[in-house]
Amino acid sequence: MRFSPRYLVFKKQGIMSYQFNRRGRSFRPRHQSNNRRPQRSSIPRSHYVSTPVAPIQEEAYLAVNTFADFGLHEQLLANVMRRGYSKPTPIQDQAIPVLMSGKDVVGIANTGTGKTAAFLLPLIDKLLKDPNQGVLILAPTRELALQIQEELKAFLIDLPLGTALCIGGMNINRQILRLKDKPHFVIGTPGRVKDLINRHKFKTALFTNIVLDEVDRMLDIGFRHDILFLISKLPPQRHAALFSATMDRGAEAIMKQFLKDPVTISVKKRESALQIYQDIVTIKPGENKVDVLCKLLFQKEFNKVIVFGRTKRGINKLEKQLYDRRLNVSAIHGNKTQSARKRSLLDFKQGRVQALLATDVVARGIDVDDVSHVINFDEPLTYEDYIHRIGRTGRAGKVGKALTFIS
Ligand code: AMP
């Protein structure tokens, strides 16, 4: 095993390419079949090497409002306090009053900004005043939809509003039963919600409030047509919010089609790629990649690691190999059932396993704090995949580490 010589020469390169890419030029829809995706990685090795720049002292945001200022329903406010939110985050401070006034909102904000509560609180409040309407929340991944539902349930304690989660990979009949109860909130992924509408099991007529969360990721995953289909099925008189970490042409087109005279609120944090130490690990001829991985995982600091592989089969095989070497790991990929994925993710989140082995697509929904390392056991196919992978570490102001195996 050999780490590359120090990387300073390339320091800026990775970051600049990322910004270039995030403007949307070289993005490739993720639903394309494998034969239309490159078969080999074409990413220059220099892109895998970078040191984080010194953290910039961000100015503390002074919220204009307290939660009490928003005039939320009393029990709802109590639930916010019970959840331990003492003051609004910037997106909440700015978006909640706008949504409460009935206007559409475009939020340019990434995960970790508190955007979920920014759209949930005003919409819950609205439905408490008039329960004769529904809220549809669309998220790009099952995991994100689940996280939204968890937050929603915490806000709905002792309140008379019902929810249904409509995501792929879970029993559709149970979801159909839940929809029969006429829930006020439906949270789902576009594919499953479309399926339920086509089966006439989800009637959208009363769903006049819509949230599209993480639109850029939805477009990356290839949900553009499903989103357009859903928009066409929703009541024309609607109150809408759209959130996206970036506003490229694709997201802007959806915004124009979907929202009326929206107020745009931008609270983007600095790109997390800046907070990640990135390096390569060269696998020498004759060296076994799994041995190299094990050596790393036996080091104490590798305590919460996501290992990326390219194929589901490869991940399964690696899981067995690591298990045979007495390493405590779990795996997550598209062939696992939703409940198996949920269990693996929870084991990882709660520290019962040291490493989570994952493929690219499912990894987009992983939102776990304190990931110490991302290891690219197989090189990603595109630079976009690389950025998404390494973005699982280096969060919340911490410096993460990303290592890419090169042979
Ligand atoms: P989100 O960006 O909505 O995924 O939220 C990121 C994290 O911040 C979640 O763990 C939330 O529970 C938490 N959070 C959201 N709003 C607040 C707040 N006002 N005060 C403290 N934590 C918050």
Side-chain angles (χ1 to χ4, degrees), residues 232-248:
S232 76
K233 295 287 174 196
L234 293 168
Q237 286 299 333
R238 57 193 175 225
H239 185 196
L242 179 155
F243 291 84
S244 192
T246 52
M247 197 38 86
D248 61 15

Side-chain angles (χ1 to χ4, degrees), residues 220-265:
D220 278 359
I221 296 172
F223 278 139
R224 203 175 81 86
H225 289 292
D226 288 351
I227 298 172
L228 294 178
F229 168 88
L230 292 170
I231 292 177
S232 76
K233 295 287 174 196
L234 293 168
Q237 286 299 333
R238 57 193 175 225
H239 185 196
L242 179 155
F243 291 84
S244 192
T246 52
M247 197 38 86
D248 61 15
R249 269 208 306 214
E252 208 176 300
I254 301 279
M255 177 191 92
K256 285 198 176 128
Q257 192 146 358
F258 191 58
L259 304 183
K260 258 188 255 107
D261 204 12
V263 176
T264 301
I265 296 163

